[in-house]
Amino acid sequence: MIDVSDKAMCCGCNACGDVCAHDAITFKTDIEGFWYPEVDKDKCTDCGLCERVCPILHVEELKRNDYNPPVCYGAYHKNLEIRFDSTSGGAFSAMAESVYKQDGYVGGAVYDTNFFAHQFISNNKEDLKRLRSSKYLQSDAEGFYTAVKKAVKTGKPVLVCGTPCQMAALRRYLNKDYENLIIVDFICKSIASPKAHRKYFDYLEEINASQVVFFKAKNKELGWRSLTKKSTFANGKSYYGVRGKDLYSRAYHSGMIDRPSCYSCQFKGYPRIADVTLADFWGVEKVAKELDNDTGTSAILINSEKGKKIFEQVSKRLQKKEVKLENIQPFNLALVKAAVCPDYDRKQFFSDLESMRFDQLGDKYFPVSARKYDRVRTLASCVRTFIGMTQLRPKAVWQFLHLNFLHPAIKTDWKKGKLLFPTPYCVFEIDKTAKVIVEGRILLGNKRFRKSKLESRFLFGKNSKVEFQGDFRFGYGCDVEVFDNAELVCGASSGGNIGLTLICGDKIHIGSHTFYGRDVSIRDTNGGHIIAQQGFKDTNPVIIGDFCWLCSECKIMPGVKVGDGTVVGSNSVVIAPLPAHVLVTGSPARIIDTDIVWKH
């Protein structure tokens, strides 16, 4: 009879519940949000099946496989759309496609409507999009083992993927090796509390006043390495949580929301229990640079003959290279090391999780890390940028000092590196009544060719307002004119190429992470020229959303609003508002594709 007296000895795999023929085992969640088996002693016959399937009680028997060490590859799916939608390089999708093509079954974790995860299996290829991508919380496997056994007995190919403990439990549950079953696990740091995951969503929904309708734990629009969590809300807004700044990422990597068994995980090391092990191939740029363009690369560990067979079946779908285990393990220490339990009051933490908003919990337990010597690093980086931009030429050095420390209209913060960095060929006319707010590192006339003398011009008129909300880059040859009483707002982490023209007579707002090709023109004014036409306006605000891409020589005309994530094709002329996440081209611009995503 299963008796969980020590929570560290239960991984919550649910296999004992599936194997019980008398329905004597149910699962209850504790205050931490993890489930544990409870036995109804009136129904229990003490048959011992629950103990027989428990992977923790039989881990040494399970650690047997054909290859030790495994045969290793770096790879990515040749279909860029699949790769972009995957957590790593799309290797799981390649295998799933092959199995579906043979009318087989594929199983793994999917979200429900509340973004809880559970294990799921089907022979419908339309389900692959739901199965793809890691979920970063414990998935409920109740009923999964029974469903897999039923699928295996059809004789059709079956591919299942789960955490190492879940896949070990599956082997114990089936009690024999089926030739038509391929078991895949992944390099698992830990499994996180479903309750903490839901509390994170509650917080996002509260501050955005809208329900989350889409979530991707590792969205690649800002690159694979950014570890971005993207949430889209019913009101059309999107949130991008990047690496150490996102609350859930900080909670997960703090180790505070891990299941207790993860701190003493017995499913590390070799031989692996699964046929194939998948992971992000961190460090791939050091081993196989040709496999890396920051859209994801899979590390693939082939552990058995069956694993080798499925890999050979899908090889044509993959761009791949054989590597050594020592190329993978140093950047994926979770292969061999269990999660580390932090030094904290766990009971108080989960009590606070119950009552605090998630951002309050973060402030108390996992604040944004302030690395030692951060200020020194910032200043050193600023010095390098100063030297590179000004080339230490007297005119540019004087402009740097005047703009950042002497001009009455400009507000900077040198201690935080929030400064303006001009090149030697910049021309400035900034009225003393203007208001220039600098909240990032602003490169003015940034040059690819250091010897170029191409002029960059900046005019900020009387009572104008210019706000840089984060880092921004103006390429050389730009012409930025903000007329009297006009307002220009530039979002963070954006940048223009050579020849960007911004003519602002009223209001231009540019979102964050928005980029420009060569010779892009944005204007909200017709320069005082009036057409005798009903409703004509000389000036009309331009609003450009976040994560937009304005390709070479396109023109954004007065009164245009461009939705988030939209791509405007080269030489296009935009004269009317554009919705979010569309691709447009032409003069006038027309929509040629919808629901697009792109890597910034």
Side-chain angles (χ1 to χ4, degrees), residues 144-172:
F144 181 66
Y145 308 99
T146 305
V148 171
K149 187 171 185 177
K150 184 178 178 181
V152 167
K153 288 193 171 182
T154 65
K156 296 177 180 180
V158 178
L159 172 79
V160 294
C161 181
T163 62
C165 54
Q166 287 174 332
M167 297 301 94
L170 178 62
R171 288 214 184 276
R172 290 301 300 177

mmCIF file of all heavy atoms in Angstrom, residues 144-172:
data_model
loop_
_atom_site.group_PDB
_atom_site.id
_atom_site.type_symbol
_atom_site.label_atom_id
_atom_site.label_comp_id
_atom_site.label_asym_id
_atom_site.label_seq_id
_atom_site.Cartn_x
_atom_site.Cartn_y
_atom_site.Cartn_z
ATOM 1 N N PHE A 144 -3.579 8.906 -17.814
ATOM 2 C CA PHE A 144 -2.706 8.904 -18.984
ATOM 3 C C PHE A 144 -2.117 7.522 -19.252
ATOM 4 O O PHE A 144 -2.056 7.070 -20.398
ATOM 5 C CB PHE A 144 -1.591 9.928 -18.776
ATOM 6 C CG PHE A 144 -0.631 10.044 -19.931
ATOM 7 C CD1 PHE A 144 -1.051 10.535 -21.156
ATOM 8 C CD2 PHE A 144 0.707 9.671 -19.789
ATOM 9 C CE1 PHE A 144 -0.166 10.657 -22.219
ATOM 10 C CE2 PHE A 144 1.598 9.796 -20.845
ATOM 11 C CZ PHE A 144 1.162 10.293 -22.059
ATOM 12 N N TYR A 145 -1.692 6.851 -18.218
ATOM 13 C CA TYR A 145 -1.030 5.552 -18.402
ATOM 14 C C TYR A 145 -2.009 4.515 -18.966
ATOM 15 O O TYR A 145 -1.660 3.710 -19.841
ATOM 16 C CB TYR A 145 -0.428 5.080 -17.079
ATOM 17 C CG TYR A 145 0.454 6.133 -16.458
ATOM 18 C CD1 TYR A 145 -0.006 6.961 -15.437
ATOM 19 C CD2 TYR A 145 1.755 6.340 -16.916
ATOM 20 C CE1 TYR A 145 0.798 7.946 -14.884
ATOM 21 C CE2 TYR A 145 2.569 7.315 -16.378
ATOM 22 C CZ TYR A 145 2.077 8.119 -15.368
ATOM 23 O OH TYR A 145 2.875 9.099 -14.826
ATOM 24 N N THR A 146 -3.229 4.587 -18.488
ATOM 25 C CA THR A 146 -4.272 3.696 -19.014
ATOM 26 C C THR A 146 -4.516 3.981 -20.492
ATOM 27 O O THR A 146 -4.646 3.054 -21.308
ATOM 28 C CB THR A 146 -5.579 3.887 -18.223
ATOM 29 O OG1 THR A 146 -5.316 3.682 -16.830
ATOM 30 C CG2 THR A 146 -6.643 2.914 -18.693
ATOM 31 N N ALA A 147 -4.539 5.277 -20.847
ATOM 32 C CA ALA A 147 -4.775 5.667 -22.241
ATOM 33 C C ALA A 147 -3.618 5.238 -23.136
ATOM 34 O O ALA A 147 -3.830 4.801 -24.276
ATOM 35 C CB ALA A 147 -4.988 7.173 -22.322
ATOM 36 N N VAL A 148 -2.386 5.355 -22.642
ATOM 37 C CA VAL A 148 -1.227 4.936 -23.440
ATOM 38 C C VAL A 148 -1.258 3.434 -23.675
ATOM 39 O O VAL A 148 -1.016 2.950 -24.801
ATOM 40 C CB VAL A 148 0.092 5.342 -22.745
ATOM 41 C CG1 VAL A 148 1.283 4.721 -23.469
ATOM 42 C CG2 VAL A 148 0.223 6.854 -22.711
ATOM 43 N N LYS A 149 -1.574 2.680 -22.635
ATOM 44 C CA LYS A 149 -1.630 1.220 -22.787
ATOM 45 C C LYS A 149 -2.683 0.817 -23.819
ATOM 46 O O LYS A 149 -2.469 -0.076 -24.651
ATOM 47 C CB LYS A 149 -1.948 0.566 -21.441
ATOM 48 C CG LYS A 149 -1.852 -0.960 -21.471
ATOM 49 C CD LYS A 149 -1.957 -1.538 -20.067
ATOM 50 C CE LYS A 149 -1.729 -3.058 -20.101
ATOM 51 N NZ LYS A 149 -1.760 -3.628 -18.736
ATOM 52 N N LYS A 150 -3.822 1.493 -23.790
ATOM 53 C CA LYS A 150 -4.877 1.220 -24.760
ATOM 54 C C LYS A 150 -4.396 1.523 -26.173
ATOM 55 O O LYS A 150 -4.656 0.768 -27.119
ATOM 56 C CB LYS A 150 -6.109 2.061 -24.417
ATOM 57 C CG LYS A 150 -7.313 1.803 -25.304
ATOM 58 C CD LYS A 150 -8.499 2.649 -24.856
ATOM 59 C CE LYS A 150 -9.706 2.432 -25.768
ATOM 60 N NZ LYS A 150 -10.857 3.277 -25.358
ATOM 61 N N ALA A 151 -3.680 2.637 -26.343
ATOM 62 C CA ALA A 151 -3.163 3.010 -27.660
ATOM 63 C C ALA A 151 -2.109 2.015 -28.144
ATOM 64 O O ALA A 151 -2.101 1.607 -29.316
ATOM 65 C CB ALA A 151 -2.570 4.419 -27.607
ATOM 66 N N VAL A 152 -1.224 1.607 -27.251
ATOM 67 C CA VAL A 152 -0.159 0.666 -27.618
ATOM 68 C C VAL A 152 -0.743 -0.661 -28.112
ATOM 69 O O VAL A 152 -0.242 -1.267 -29.065
ATOM 70 C CB VAL A 152 0.793 0.445 -26.421
ATOM 71 C CG1 VAL A 152 1.711 -0.742 -26.671
ATOM 72 C CG2 VAL A 152 1.618 1.699 -26.152
ATOM 73 N N LYS A 153 -1.815 -1.092 -27.484
ATOM 74 C CA LYS A 153 -2.410 -2.382 -27.836
ATOM 75 C C LYS A 153 -3.128 -2.372 -29.190
ATOM 76 O O LYS A 153 -3.525 -3.427 -29.681
ATOM 77 C CB LYS A 153 -3.365 -2.829 -26.728
ATOM 78 C CG LYS A 153 -2.606 -3.270 -25.475
ATOM 79 C CD LYS A 153 -3.500 -4.006 -24.495
ATOM 80 C CE LYS A 153 -2.668 -4.622 -23.385
ATOM 81 N NZ LYS A 153 -3.479 -5.395 -22.430
ATOM 82 N N THR A 154 -3.259 -1.194 -29.813
ATOM 83 C CA THR A 154 -3.815 -1.149 -31.174
ATOM 84 C C THR A 154 -2.792 -1.641 -32.187
ATOM 85 O O THR A 154 -3.137 -1.925 -33.342
ATOM 86 C CB THR A 154 -4.227 0.288 -31.554
ATOM 87 O OG1 THR A 154 -3.060 1.128 -31.617
ATOM 88 C CG2 THR A 154 -5.232 0.854 -30.568
ATOM 89 N N GLY A 155 -1.530 -1.718 -31.784
ATOM 90 C CA GLY A 155 -0.467 -2.133 -32.682
ATOM 91 C C GLY A 155 0.106 -0.995 -33.509
ATOM 92 O O GLY A 155 1.095 -1.172 -34.219
ATOM 93 N N LYS A 156 -0.507 0.184 -33.429
ATOM 94 C CA LYS A 156 -0.016 1.337 -34.186
ATOM 95 C C LYS A 156 1.145 1.999 -33.427
ATOM 96 O O LYS A 156 1.281 1.817 -32.212
ATOM 97 C CB LYS A 156 -1.146 2.347 -34.387
ATOM 98 C CG LYS A 156 -2.292 1.807 -35.229
ATOM 99 C CD LYS A 156 -3.428 2.827 -35.333
ATOM 100 C CE LYS A 156 -4.571 2.283 -36.178
ATOM 101 N NZ LYS A 156 -5.696 3.259 -36.290
ATOM 102 N N PRO A 157 1.978 2.760 -34.145
ATOM 103 C CA PRO A 157 3.082 3.441 -33.456
ATOM 104 C C PRO A 157 2.559 4.438 -32.416
ATOM 105 O O PRO A 157 1.558 5.116 -32.653
ATOM 106 C CB PRO A 157 3.823 4.183 -34.572
ATOM 107 C CG PRO A 157 3.258 3.717 -35.848
ATOM 108 C CD PRO A 157 1.972 3.025 -35.585
ATOM 109 N N VAL A 158 3.255 4.505 -31.289
ATOM 110 C CA VAL A 158 2.883 5.419 -30.208
ATOM 111 C C VAL A 158 4.138 6.153 -29.744
ATOM 112 O O VAL A 158 5.163 5.527 -29.457
ATOM 113 C CB VAL A 158 2.245 4.666 -29.021
ATOM 114 C CG1 VAL A 158 1.907 5.640 -27.891
ATOM 115 C CG2 VAL A 158 1.005 3.899 -29.463
ATOM 116 N N LEU A 159 4.044 7.467 -29.691
ATOM 117 C CA LEU A 159 5.131 8.310 -29.205
ATOM 118 C C LEU A 159 4.607 9.114 -28.026
ATOM 119 O O LEU A 159 3.598 9.812 -28.146
ATOM 120 C CB LEU A 159 5.599 9.265 -30.309
ATOM 121 C CG LEU A 159 6.611 10.349 -29.919
ATOM 122 C CD1 LEU A 159 8.009 9.751 -29.838
ATOM 123 C CD2 LEU A 159 6.593 11.501 -30.923
ATOM 124 N N VAL A 160 5.259 9.024 -26.883
ATOM 125 C CA VAL A 160 4.827 9.794 -25.713
ATOM 126 C C VAL A 160 6.013 10.559 -25.140
ATOM 127 O O VAL A 160 7.149 10.083 -25.163
ATOM 128 C CB VAL A 160 4.183 8.911 -24.618
ATOM 129 C CG1 VAL A 160 2.888 8.318 -25.107
ATOM 130 C CG2 VAL A 160 5.132 7.831 -24.163
ATOM 131 N N CYS A 161 5.717 11.734 -24.619
ATOM 132 C CA CYS A 161 6.756 12.578 -24.033
ATOM 133 C C CYS A 161 6.290 13.091 -22.679
ATOM 134 O O CYS A 161 5.121 13.472 -22.513
ATOM 135 C CB CYS A 161 7.060 13.760 -24.956
ATOM 136 S SG CYS A 161 8.346 14.871 -24.341
ATOM 137 N N GLY A 162 7.178 13.089 -21.708
ATOM 138 C CA GLY A 162 6.859 13.611 -20.382
ATOM 139 C C GLY A 162 8.122 13.803 -19.572
ATOM 140 O O GLY A 162 9.241 13.609 -20.070
ATOM 141 N N THR A 163 7.958 14.169 -18.318
ATOM 142 C CA THR A 163 9.114 14.329 -17.439
ATOM 143 C C THR A 163 9.779 12.969 -17.231
ATOM 144 O O THR A 163 9.146 11.918 -17.397
ATOM 145 C CB THR A 163 8.693 14.891 -16.081
ATOM 146 O OG1 THR A 163 7.807 13.961 -15.443
ATOM 147 C CG2 THR A 163 7.999 16.239 -16.228
ATOM 148 N N PRO A 164 11.055 12.943 -16.851
ATOM 149 C CA PRO A 164 11.726 11.661 -16.606
ATOM 150 C C PRO A 164 10.993 10.778 -15.591
ATOM 151 O O PRO A 164 10.919 9.556 -15.771
ATOM 152 C CB PRO A 164 13.101 12.089 -16.092
ATOM 153 C CG PRO A 164 13.339 13.413 -16.748
ATOM 154 C CD PRO A 164 11.997 14.084 -16.787
ATOM 155 N N CYS A 165 10.417 11.371 -14.542
ATOM 156 C CA CYS A 165 9.715 10.548 -13.547
ATOM 157 C C CYS A 165 8.417 9.988 -14.118
ATOM 158 O O CYS A 165 8.045 8.840 -13.847
ATOM 159 C CB CYS A 165 9.464 11.334 -12.261
ATOM 160 S SG CYS A 165 8.614 12.925 -12.457
ATOM 161 N N GLN A 166 7.716 10.780 -14.937
ATOM 162 C CA GLN A 166 6.486 10.281 -15.560
ATOM 163 C C GLN A 166 6.788 9.140 -16.532
ATOM 164 O O GLN A 166 6.062 8.140 -16.579
ATOM 165 C CB GLN A 166 5.779 11.417 -16.308
ATOM 166 C CG GLN A 166 5.112 12.446 -15.412
ATOM 167 C CD GLN A 166 4.556 13.617 -16.203
ATOM 168 O OE1 GLN A 166 5.060 13.955 -17.278
ATOM 169 N NE2 GLN A 166 3.519 14.261 -15.684
ATOM 170 N N MET A 167 7.843 9.278 -17.298
ATOM 171 C CA MET A 167 8.179 8.241 -18.276
ATOM 172 C C MET A 167 8.719 6.990 -17.595
ATOM 173 O O MET A 167 8.503 5.863 -18.067
ATOM 174 C CB MET A 167 9.173 8.787 -19.300
ATOM 175 C CG MET A 167 8.613 9.947 -20.141
ATOM 176 S SD MET A 167 7.116 9.525 -21.098
ATOM 177 C CE MET A 167 5.777 10.044 -20.008
ATOM 178 N N ALA A 168 9.390 7.173 -16.464
ATOM 179 C CA ALA A 168 9.797 6.010 -15.670
ATOM 180 C C ALA A 168 8.570 5.296 -15.114
ATOM 181 O O ALA A 168 8.485 4.063 -15.109
ATOM 182 C CB ALA A 168 10.715 6.452 -14.532
ATOM 183 N N ALA A 169 7.584 6.079 -14.663
ATOM 184 C CA ALA A 169 6.338 5.499 -14.161
ATOM 185 C C ALA A 169 5.603 4.738 -15.262
ATOM 186 O O ALA A 169 5.009 3.680 -15.019
ATOM 187 C CB ALA A 169 5.448 6.615 -13.602
ATOM 188 N N LEU A 170 5.653 5.269 -16.484
ATOM 189 C CA LEU A 170 5.004 4.579 -17.602
ATOM 190 C C LEU A 170 5.633 3.220 -17.843
ATOM 191 O O LEU A 170 4.927 2.225 -18.080
ATOM 192 C CB LEU A 170 5.095 5.447 -18.864
ATOM 193 C CG LEU A 170 4.502 4.841 -20.132
ATOM 194 C CD1 LEU A 170 2.999 4.586 -19.971
ATOM 195 C CD2 LEU A 170 4.752 5.758 -21.335
ATOM 196 N N ARG A 171 6.945 3.141 -17.790
ATOM 197 C CA ARG A 171 7.619 1.841 -17.961
ATOM 198 C C ARG A 171 7.178 0.849 -16.882
ATOM 199 O O ARG A 171 6.919 -0.317 -17.170
ATOM 200 C CB ARG A 171 9.131 2.022 -17.929
ATOM 201 C CG ARG A 171 9.716 2.687 -19.179
ATOM 202 C CD ARG A 171 11.099 2.135 -19.482
ATOM 203 N NE ARG A 171 11.743 2.804 -20.601
ATOM 204 C CZ ARG A 171 11.559 2.503 -21.876
ATOM 205 N NH1 ARG A 171 10.702 1.535 -22.209
ATOM 206 N NH2 ARG A 171 12.208 3.154 -22.826
ATOM 207 N N ARG A 172 7.085 1.311 -15.656
ATOM 208 C CA ARG A 172 6.654 0.421 -14.571
ATOM 209 C C ARG A 172 5.194 0.011 -14.759
ATOM 210 O O ARG A 172 4.821 -1.143 -14.513
ATOM 211 C CB ARG A 172 6.822 1.110 -13.214
ATOM 212 C CG ARG A 172 8.249 1.310 -12.766
ATOM 213 C CD ARG A 172 9.029 0.036 -12.642
ATOM 214 N NE ARG A 172 8.421 -0.887 -11.675
ATOM 215 C CZ ARG A 172 8.871 -2.115 -11.410
ATOM 216 N NH1 ARG A 172 9.928 -2.581 -12.054
ATOM 217 N NH2 ARG A 172 8.279 -2.884 -10.529
#
